[in-house]
Amino acid sequence: MNFKRKNMLCKVLSGLLCFAVSATSVAGIGSAAADNSKVNAAAVDYGLLNKIQGGAVLHCFDWSYSEIKRNLADIAAAGYTAVQTSPVQPPTFYDPSETSTNDNWWKLYQPLSLSISGENKSWLGSRAELEDLCSEADKYGIKVIVDIVANHLANNGTTGGTFSLLNPDVDEDLQKTEYFHSEASKANDESRYNITQYHIGMPDLNTGHSYIQQKVLALLKDCASIGVDGFRFDAAKHIEVPNDPDNCKSEFWKVVIEGLKEDYPDTFCYGEILSYPGTYIENYTKYINLTNNYSGDKVLYGVCNKNAGSTAYSAYDKGTEPGQSVLWVESHDTYMGDSGSAGIKNTASVDDSDIIKAWAMVGSRNGSTSLFYARPDTVMGAASTDTTWKSPIVAEVNKFKNFFNGSAEYLSYSQDEYLALNERGCSGAVITKLNGGGAINMKVNKITDGEYTDKISGNTFTVSNGYLQGTVADSGVAVLYNDGLTYGYLSASPESGTTFFFDEMDVMLYAHKITDATYTTTEGASGSFTDGESISVGKTLGIGESVTVTLTGTRTDNKTTTVSFTYKKVMQTKPVKLYFDKSAYNSWESVYAYIYDNAGNTDNDWPGVQISQGNSGYYEYTVDDKFRDGNLIFVEKKGSDKRYPSQYGGGMKIGGNSKFFTEGNTLVDISAKVQEISLTLGGEIGLNYYIEVDPVLVNKHNLTATLSGPNETISVDLSKAEKTDKGYYKLTYPLYAAQTNESVCLTVIDSTISEIITLYNSKDEEYTYDSAEYEVNDYVNAVKSDAGADKKLKDLVSSVEVYGAMANELFGGEKASDELVSKLPDIKAEDLSGHKLSKTGNMPDGITLVGGSLMLTSKTSFRVYVKRNGSVTVPKVVINNETADAVLKGGDYYYYEVKDISAQELSKTQTLVIGNCTLKFDALTYVHSVLSDPDESQDLINTAKAIYAYSQSADAYFSTST
């Protein structure tokens, strides 16, 4: 398993157990991309970041360019790295005499062209005024982001998405039918087709058309040419990606973003995605960053409901990395509309004091970009009269974010004290106290002992023995750190002294208010760097060896500063702990652990070390690493005959893993073994793990097996898992055909003792990172290489491999190898004439049979499509003797579905009766239709042939299998 995949695994685990946070902080190193933009002297003066990513952005909603320009000094002083404007294109129904924000704001999101507004065409101002803003913003080190509407254009006042409803004032060159999608239905989340081809109330641009793509690209380049630094794409979820299904995919993002960055490589781009996009999030993040509305919305909900756990919510719900995410407390859609996702649909009634408390958490996060929404004035184009955006508290949170850029975060909370806490590095923290000001005494996890100044109140806070004490001001927010390094500083993440057990480790380098920054390593690497750049270390090191990274640069007072950071490569080890179940030994007055090695060395004189009760409820002791392979005797106390093993008996072997001791003098190894893997070929391809765990552990502890892969993460309570005749626990992760080369990671978590337990394979070899990682093709290859395997089984797994490769290519993955393509059967449509759709009788009046399709990106199912003519009722049908309802596809189109078709049922005849009409078909009917169409793409033809081969081999195997 490589570093990146381990990174993904740790993120899954961090949401399950608090102790996994330490793993996350190591694995998160180096997630941000290097930025080669020049450091702006003005940005240094204000302590701003030299790039947008990771900074604070002020959303100047409906402010004119001149109003933003007038406020730049205050914006810089408040710590904002960037400003964001409303859409730059000319709005619909513009009338300068109509100035009400409530009545007119939406018009900016219905543009009349794909170009910058001209003079007297928008409340925001002209192209020249935008250029003037960009020029002035540069003087403060502030970046400018503009909003772009590329999904749709303005309607004629009638809600709808087709060309016929286009506003007649739209630019003449865009008034062509082919530039718009033809579907009349309102977008919904049922499928990517519905998301991208249906409309959201306005004529939906055909963003797959090359002319539209080039128009958008030209707009972006025009903006960039006058100084714009970034773009926000409205309704990005509704614009297709290259990996979408054939009927709705396009190269829009590839053409537009890659084309832009050929000339303007440092441009910051992010897209609006509300709720989930219906496709892998990576299909967007390879091009743009994304809004993560769920995460910020939950924080605000937590503040308003005095829920400290929700206020300290740290997950990125859409699956984005921090460096790919834009977070907010509220947005123009939650303030002007009702798109809030966590229980507060509209945020207009939320008090500014609660916005500030939520911003303390959202605005202090590491890596993600934070967007502060300046609540609008009542007049279009005017700057906000609600100045919360530049209040001392918000400003100090922004400055804190900038100061600790790149330092790891640790979010925690105390519900009893109504406290949420974000610690950054080891020397700063932001506090939100939900019930207002007052004294606190809260456990901290990272910040070191010492005194810290609250930048808001000036109060002194003290950290001692792992607890933070002090008084939070009435605002309920405190921002703690000591910024004595006024003239600039160099730093690196992770901190000096960090150990790692990967082949190499990424180190992030930071230069705050530093020029001419350079680095050298004791491995011989050297060079210059800018703030936030990443280097790799450790490649040449052996186990136990260290590398030192030395940073040098010039501060703002022209003095040279130099700092060094040392990192050591170590073997992957985790503590060996002993757990003694004293409830099974109530007569024991106390518990001692005596540990010795085979050379006679002991970790303590007899009777060893007295151990005490831990959080698990058991008596716990951590074994010194020198004795992890030693021997153990439990003793009640000195002089007692209560001991195990009994007197004169040799100690129990510890053996390198944590151990659990319970009634019957049973010492259990806290581990599990993956005895075998297999496949289940149902409607999905199930990757099965068979694991063996000592029954004592299952009965006494809370064990959860977690399977993480390309789809949802599955967690199973082992005490409730399916058990085989051999006593193994069977765990299944469902995959689609296109995912046969995707990894699935199994971990077993013992939440009773807060440990990820050690995993072994059937050969007693330990898995790296306590994670058993497999893919479908691992099983395929194992069967193919097994000389004793049944030929029919070999044929079956070979067809699975080919089917997976063809489906993967079909859905935008890697191109299938020539070798696998050569294994496709040489069949034509006429070879499958027996699988043609059979129709007898007449369809009901007003219902037309349209066709059928096979669904491959969910459980394999067959859909029969019909069209309703007029207002007739679409009838129920009988499918294989069971009544079924029609499902609305969109408009007047409906479908009936045969669900969850297993491998051995692909050629099974399915019967659908609708009125007096009987339809007979099977999954291979779809294969026949594909092969009958001379215009079908080669990758779909290959997939169809692979389905046929898969069906044939499954029939052969399961017909004789017992």
Side-chain angles (χ1 to χ4, degrees):
M1 183 186 295
N2 61 34
F3 184 88
K4 296 291 185 185
R5 293 164 91 175
K6 172 59 176 174
N7 206 357
M8 175 183 71
L9 170 66
C10 288
K11 282 184 291 189
V12 172
L13 298 180
S14 66
L16 299 174
L17 292 174
C18 60
F19 73 88
V21 171
S22 60
T24 310
S25 64
V26 173
I29 295 162
S31 61
D35 179 64
N36 298 318
S37 56
K38 294 180 180 178
V39 177
N40 184 293
V44 171
D45 291 341
Y46 285 103
L48 307 181
L49 304 188
N50 69 326
K51 58 180 179 178
I52 297 172
Q53 179 58 56
V57 179
L58 178 64
H59 186 184
C60 302
F61 182 69
D62 285 354
W63 298 19
S64 69
Y65 306 134
S66 59
E67 283 287 82
I68 300 173
K69 175 184 172 182
R70 187 173 63 83
N71 283 273
L72 283 172
D74 286 349
I75 293 169
Y80 292 101
T81 292
V83 293
Q84 178 178 305
T85 75
S86 292
V88 296
Q89 299 137 267
T92 190
F93 305 129
Y94 172 67
D95 183 341
S97 67
E98 293 185 8
T99 61
S100 167
T101 298
N102 282 338
D103 295 336
N104 294 285
W105 72 270
W106 58 270
K107 296 177 182 178
L108 288 160
Y109 290 89
Q110 288 205 31
L112 298 174
S113 81
L114 294 175
S115 58
I116 303 173
S117 289
E119 192 170 357
N120 298 321
K121 295 291 186 182
S122 171
W123 293 278
L124 303 189
S126 65
R127 183 182 189 279
E129 288 169 307
L130 176 58
E131 183 172 14
D132 193 31
L133 166 62
C134 293
S135 177
E136 189 69 14
D138 281 343
K139 298 175 183 178
Y140 292 89
I142 293 173
K143 312 291 186 184
V144 176
I145 302 170
V146 299
D147 209 342
I148 298 293
V149 181
N151 175 69
H152 55 267
L153 293 178
N155 59 37
N156 60 7
T158 305
T159 300
T162 58
F163 176 73
S164 63
L165 302 177
L166 187 67
N167 189 306
D169 292 329
V170 164
D171 280 359
E172 187 175 349
D173 71 315
L174 295 172
Q175 293 192 27
K176 292 186 179 181
T177 307
E178 61 264 33
Y179 296 161
F180 294 86
H181 290 139
S182 59
E183 297 283 2
S185 299
K186 193 79 177 283
N188 59 58
D189 288 349
E190 182 183 327
S191 69
R192 280 295 290 173
Y193 184 88
N194 294 14
I195 291 171
T196 62
Q197 308 301 295
Y198 291 3
H199 68 85
I200 58 173
M202 289 76 73
D204 201 60
L205 277 167
N206 179 7
T207 39
H209 197 289
S210 61
Y211 184 78
I212 299 300
Q213 294 170 3
Q214 291 303 316
K215 286 287 286 186
V216 174
L217 176 57
L219 169 58
L220 302 188
K221 287 189 174 183
D222 188 28
C223 290
S225 73
I226 61 174
V228 169
D229 305 287
F231 299 95
R232 180 246 186 207
F233 292 90
D234 184 66
K237 164 183 171 178
H238 299 285
I239 301 177
E240 59 279 346
V241 295
N243 292 64
D244 276 330
D246 280 350
N247 62 349
C248 61
K249 70 181 180 181
S250 91
E251 299 291 304
F252 176 88
W253 296 109
K254 181 177 178 64
V255 169
V256 169
I257 301 302
E258 292 184 0
L260 170 68
K261 293 196 172 185
E262 285 178 4
D263 295 330
Y264 302 96
D266 297 324
T267 307
F268 176 79
C269 298
Y270 83 97
E272 177 200 29
I273 292 203
L274 301 180
S275 72
Y276 286 99
T279 186
Y280 296 139
I281 205 72
E282 294 83 1
N283 290 333
Y284 279 99
T285 56
K286 67 175 66 173
Y287 303 109
I288 58 175
N289 291 9
L290 299 175
T291 58
N292 211 306
N293 58 308
Y294 289 146
S295 300
D297 288 356
K298 286 179 181 176
V299 174
L300 181 61
Y301 179 83
V303 169
C304 293
N305 289 275
K306 292 185 170 52
N307 183 318
S310 180
T311 303
Y313 191 76
S314 62
Y316 289 85
D317 284 343
K318 284 193 173 73
T320 53
E321 299 278 358
Q324 300 166 335
S325 301
V326 175
L327 301 179
W328 62 54
V329 171
E330 65 176 344
S331 72
H332 73 271
D333 283 320
T334 67
Y335 184 83
M336 306 301 290
D338 59 355
S339 69
S341 62
I344 304 175
K345 292 292 185 182
N346 178 270
T347 59
S349 61
V350 175
D351 193 80
D352 282 336
S353 63
D354 285 337
I355 296 293
I356 288 172
K357 290 187 182 77
W359 183 252
M361 291 295 106
V362 169
S364 63
R365 297 293 302 274
N366 177 43
S368 58
T369 304
S370 302
L371 184 71
F372 192 97
Y373 174 68
R375 291 179 165 184
D377 190 76
T378 57
V379 176
M380 291 292 287
S384 175
T385 52
D386 182 337
T387 57
T388 304
W389 63 268
K390 62 177 179 180
S391 67
I393 301 172
V394 170
E396 289 300 339
V397 172
N398 295 345
K399 294 173 185 177
F400 176 92
K401 181 181 182 70
N402 296 336
F403 187 85
F404 284 98
N405 179 43
S407 297
E409 65 180 24
Y410 195 109
L411 282 87
S412 59
Y413 67 94
S414 170
Q415 186 59 49
D416 292 341
E417 295 191 75
Y418 296 99
L419 288 174
L421 180 69
N422 184 12
E423 299 173 65
R424 293 292 302 274
C426 295
S427 57
V430 172
I431 303 166
T432 290
K433 193 170 189 295
L434 299 175
N435 59 348
I440 68 166
N441 180 29
M442 183 179 179
K443 183 180 184 299
V444 291
N445 299 278
K446 294 294 183 181
I447 192 169
T448 54
D449 287 358
E451 291 188 348
Y452 297 86
T453 301
D454 175 15
K455 297 298 179 180
I456 297 169
S457 66
N459 294 344
T460 297
F461 285 70
T462 302
V463 175
S464 179
N465 297 320
Y467 279 84
L468 171 65
Q469 295 180 316
T471 300
V472 178
D474 291 343
S475 67
V477 176
V479 178
L480 312 180
Y481 65 110
N482 299 318
D483 58 349
L485 300 174
T486 304
Y487 300 106
Y489 64 90
L490 295 162
S491 64
S493 178
E495 298 157 8
S496 187
T498 297
T499 59
F500 63 99
F501 49 85
F502 304 103
D503 289 339
E504 55 187 315
M505 180 178 71
D506 287 342
V507 177
M508 301 293 290
L509 308 180
Y510 299 99
H512 183 69
K513 295 187 179 181
I514 294 290
T515 56
D516 304 322
T518 62
Y519 73 90
T520 60
T521 76
T522 51
E523 290 183 291
S526 63
S528 60
F529 70 93
T530 57
D531 188 57
E533 197 164 341
S534 173
I535 63 170
S536 293
V537 300
K539 187 76 170 180
T540 67
L541 299 184
I543 298 299
E545 295 180 339
S546 298
V547 57
T548 297
V549 179
T550 300
L551 310 181
T552 302
T554 304
R555 308 190 316 182
T556 58
D557 60 356
N558 292 321
K559 291 183 179 180
T560 300
T561 180
T562 301
V563 292
S564 295
F565 302 83
T566 299
Y567 308 103
K568 184 178 183 179
K569 183 181 284 190
V570 298
M571 289 287 290
Q572 182 201 2
T573 59
K574 62 180 179 180
V576 172
K577 299 188 72 173
L578 307 176
Y579 299 91
F580 186 97
D581 181 8
K582 194 171 180 295
S583 66
Y585 296 87
N586 284 325
S587 64
W588 286 37
E589 181 181 321
S590 56
V591 182
Y592 285 75
Y594 180 72
I595 300 171
Y596 65 95
D597 62 23
N598 292 334
N601 302 307
T602 65
D603 71 338
N604 250 296
D605 294 336
W606 183 266
V609 178
Q610 184 173 2
I611 62 178
S612 57
Q613 191 172 27
N615 292 331
S616 65
Y618 301 127
Y619 281 63
E620 301 177 4
Y621 179 64
T622 301
V623 178
D624 189 299
D625 275 350
K626 297 193 297 288
F627 294 94
R628 59 188 304 121
D629 290 317
N631 305 285
L632 164 69
I633 299 174
F634 283 119
V635 187
E636 180 192 26
K637 59 183 179 181
K638 191 171 185 177
S640 172
D641 60 359
K642 294 178 182 176
R643 52 177 284 181
Y644 191 82
S646 58
Q647 195 169 7
Y648 307 121
M652 299 174 286
K653 188 72 175 174
I654 296 175
N657 280 329
S658 295
K659 294 289 190 292
F660 173 59
F661 187 77
T662 187
E663 66 257 33
N665 299 325
T666 302
L667 187 69
V668 179
D669 193 78
I670 301 178
S671 64
K673 183 179 290 189
V674 180
Q675 290 287 12
E676 57 187 82
I677 61 171
S678 73
L679 302 183
T680 298
L681 302 180
E684 297 161 314
I685 298 176
L687 180 59
N688 305 313
Y689 287 76
Y690 298 86
I691 64 172
E692 183 179 20
V693 188
D694 194 301
V696 171
L697 278 185
V698 179
N699 295 332
K700 288 278 189 177
H701 293 195
N702 294 320
L703 297 184
T704 302
T706 298
L707 293 167
S708 59
N711 305 316
E712 63 179 342
T713 297
I714 298 173
S715 296
V716 180
D717 181 345
L718 272 188
S719 67
K720 300 175 182 178
E722 178 184 348
K723 203 169 184 181
T724 70
D725 293 342
K726 295 181 180 179
Y728 303 152
Y729 295 95
K730 180 183 177 183
L731 307 166
T732 302
Y733 189 91
L735 296 157
Y736 313 141
Q739 297 172 330
T740 54
N741 62 345
E742 296 273 6
S743 293
V744 177
C745 294
L746 165 72
T747 57
V748 181
I749 301 166
D750 187 332
S751 56
T752 301
I753 61 173
S754 292
E755 274 199 34
I756 302 171
I757 72 175
T758 306
L759 285 179
Y760 296 91
N761 64 20
S762 59
K763 299 178 181 178
D764 290 324
E765 298 165 334
E766 185 176 345
Y767 289 100
T768 308
Y769 315 126
D770 298 324
S771 171
E773 181 181 15
Y774 289 100
E775 56 187 54
V776 169
N777 285 342
D778 288 326
Y779 177 78
V780 169
N781 293 331
V783 172
K784 287 167 61 178
S785 62
D786 183 357
D790 178 73
K791 182 181 182 304
K792 290 183 178 179
L793 177 59
K794 287 191 172 187
D795 290 342
L796 178 57
V797 299
S798 180
S799 71
V800 170
E801 179 183 29
V802 175
Y803 178 26
M806 302 308 147
N808 185 260
E809 180 177 349
L810 175 65
F811 292 109
E814 296 179 0
K815 184 175 176 59
S817 69
D818 291 341
E819 179 187 358
L820 292 179
V821 172
S822 69
K823 294 182 179 180
L824 291 170
D826 183 18
I827 56 169
K828 298 178 177 60
E830 51 265 31
D831 298 324
L832 279 79
S833 57
H835 296 277
K836 289 174 62 176
L837 174 68
S838 168
K839 176 176 174 289
T840 57
N842 296 317
M843 295 288 289
D845 291 341
I847 302 296
T848 302
L849 177 64
V850 176
S853 67
L854 195 63
M855 311 304 293
L856 302 178
T857 55
S858 59
K859 290 187 176 182
T860 303
S861 61
F862 195 98
R863 290 181 179 178
V864 175
Y865 293 90
V866 298
K867 182 181 180 183
R868 179 182 67 172
N869 303 307
S871 58
V872 300
T873 301
V874 180
K876 293 178 181 289
V877 298
V878 176
I879 300 177
N880 299 330
N881 299 319
E882 292 187 6
T883 302
D885 289 313
V887 179
L888 177 63
K889 173 64 177 174
D892 289 321
Y893 291 89
Y894 293 78
Y895 65 83
Y896 304 99
E897 187 168 27
V898 179
K899 299 180 178 179
D900 202 7
I901 303 173
S902 65
Q904 62 266 42
E905 294 178 333
L906 291 171
S907 59
K908 177 183 175 182
T909 299
Q910 314 286 346
T911 302
L912 185 152
V913 179
I914 177 169
N916 295 321
C917 181
T918 299
L919 304 176
K920 292 191 176 183
F921 53 89
D922 56 41
L924 299 185
T925 301
Y926 179 72
V927 175
H928 176 269
S929 68
V930 170
L931 298 181
S932 300
D933 187 346
D935 295 326
E936 288 292 5
S937 63
Q938 190 59 51
D939 53 358
L940 181 57
I941 291 171
N942 287 350
T943 303
K945 289 182 177 181
I947 292 171
Y948 173 78
Y950 178 46
S951 171
Q952 294 297 102
S953 60
D955 287 346
Y957 177 77
F958 288 108
S959 64
T960 56
S961 174
T962 56

